[in-house]
Amino acid sequence: MVSPGRHQKSAVAAALDKAKGAGFEVRPDKNGHRWGWVICCGCHGSFKVAGTPRDPDTEAKKILQFVSRHSNC
Amino acid sequence: MAVWSFTLVLNRAMTDADHDTFDHLDEFADGDVSTEDFADGRPTELICDPVEAPTLVEAVADVARRIRLIPGLRAVAARHDDMVTLGEAAQRSGRTRTSLDLLASGKRGPGGFPAPEWTTPGTSFYSWAKITAFLVSLGDEVEETSLEIVLADSLLRVAHEVENRKVHVTVEVLADLGLPVAV
Ligand SMILES: [Zn+2]
């Protein structure tokens, strides 16, 4: 069963877990195609996470790229 | 069809209303365009990946067209992110993914492939600038900034300037300038 705060695509959910583990805020905020946000706690920059990405692996990669870009904030 | 990854800079920061429109447009349902907003009010950037198109310039034009569906938003610049996977580095360098894997693992070549900048189990991100320098040292003809992304960036800037100044540029003018357009 998929819990309410968890992304339904497992690759994306895993990337969100890694973002959380790296100290980022993961905020579910469903609206249309949007699932929610990943927010850098250092600079407060935010990345929009898609709810139904056609390519979940790439969505996961983009989340991790955001985390890596903000790893020194 | 080929898929492309690139970053577009918008003309301003997206508002909550812009995001709401974006989130409900079918044109963005696939998730191939993500947004990155900055707390300091800098213009929003679009993280575009994987955009399907025959060429990078066409992929950039496709996203530029789609973002114009949100009133007032324009893509005004294009660039490549420095942080890449080996797959992206392969596409930019013209080498195969296998070739880069072998170079990175030291199973081929002199060794000294740049270490990943950031690693998490299953994914490693490398600096494209460092990979370029390494490949050039092997004799590859590879540019840190690809001609295609420079071209896409220049075209966006021209379109933005033409629109800003309300200049009327006909197809004939573009042809006179030497652009290969159909008149
Ligand atoms: Zn940051």
Side-chain angles (χ1 to χ4, degrees):
Chain A
M1 190 184 138
V2 178
S3 63
R6 204 162 165 79
H7 200 285
Q8 58 180 351
K9 300 287 181 191
S10 58
V12 180
L16 293 172
D17 286 345
K18 288 176 187 174
K20 224 180 274 183
F24 286 67
E25 183 190 346
V26 173
R27 185 188 297 168
D29 178 23
K30 181 103 183 72
N31 182 42
H33 317 302
R34 174 172 91 207
W35 178 86
W37 309 89
V38 177
I39 301 161
C40 171
C41 296
C43 74
H44 305 290
S46 55
F47 177 86
K48 181 181 331 216
V49 179
T52 53
R54 194 167 47 151
D55 180 351
D57 288 336
T58 300
E59 186 72 12
K61 184 191 76 176
K62 286 192 282 187
I63 290 166
L64 296 178
Q65 266 167 330
F66 173 79
V67 170
S68 71
R69 276 197 298 278
H70 290 264
S71 56
N72 295 318
C73 285
Chain B
M1 199 182 290
V3 296
W4 306 93
S5 62
F6 51 90
T7 300
L8 298 186
V9 182
L10 297 185
N11 55 330
R12 60 170 166 80
M14 283 174 72
T15 62
D16 290 348
D18 293 333
H19 275 294
D20 186 56
T21 306
F22 181 103
D23 295 335
H24 289 92
L25 276 169
D26 287 346
E27 298 270 355
F28 296 111
D30 279 353
D32 61 345
V33 178
S34 311
T35 62
E36 181 165 348
D37 291 292
F38 305 93
D40 61 8
R42 253 185 299 156
T44 301
E45 297 188 356
L46 303 180
I47 315 300
C48 308
D49 188 12
V51 180
E52 277 190 22
T55 64
L56 175 61
V57 173
E58 285 162 287
V60 167
D62 177 45
V63 179
R65 173 189 61 77
R66 285 191 265 159
I67 206 67
R68 281 171 174 267
L69 296 172
I70 303 172
L73 287 189
R74 301 281 179 267
V76 298
R79 61 174 160 75
H80 272 143
D81 198 77
D82 185 56
M83 206 73 83
V84 293
T85 59
L86 284 184
E88 285 168 305
Q91 186 183 44
R92 290 191 201 173
S93 69
R95 279 183 177 257
T96 62
R97 172 64 200 264
T98 308
S99 159
L100 282 192
D101 279 339
L102 291 170
L103 287 171
S105 63
K107 290 180 183 141
R108 188 191 286 171
F113 194 88
E117 302 293 309
W118 197 81
T119 302
T120 182
T123 319
S124 294
F125 294 110
Y126 296 80
S127 159
W128 169 242
K130 290 180 185 174
I131 290 182
T132 309
F134 175 78
L135 293 176
V136 166
S137 77
L138 296 187
D140 281 19
E141 285 186 22
V142 51
E143 302 277 351
E144 188 180 324
T145 308
S146 83
L147 290 176
E148 286 79 12
I149 199 76
V150 171
L151 177 59
D153 180 67
S154 305
L155 290 169
L156 285 176
R157 286 171 195 275
V158 167
H160 183 58
E161 276 304 304
V162 166
E163 187 171 35
N164 261 355
R165 293 163 193 273
K166 299 189 169 43
V167 185
H168 184 61
V169 181
T170 62
V171 174
E172 286 78 8
V173 169
L174 296 177
D176 285 348
L177 287 167
L179 288 169
V181 291
V183 180

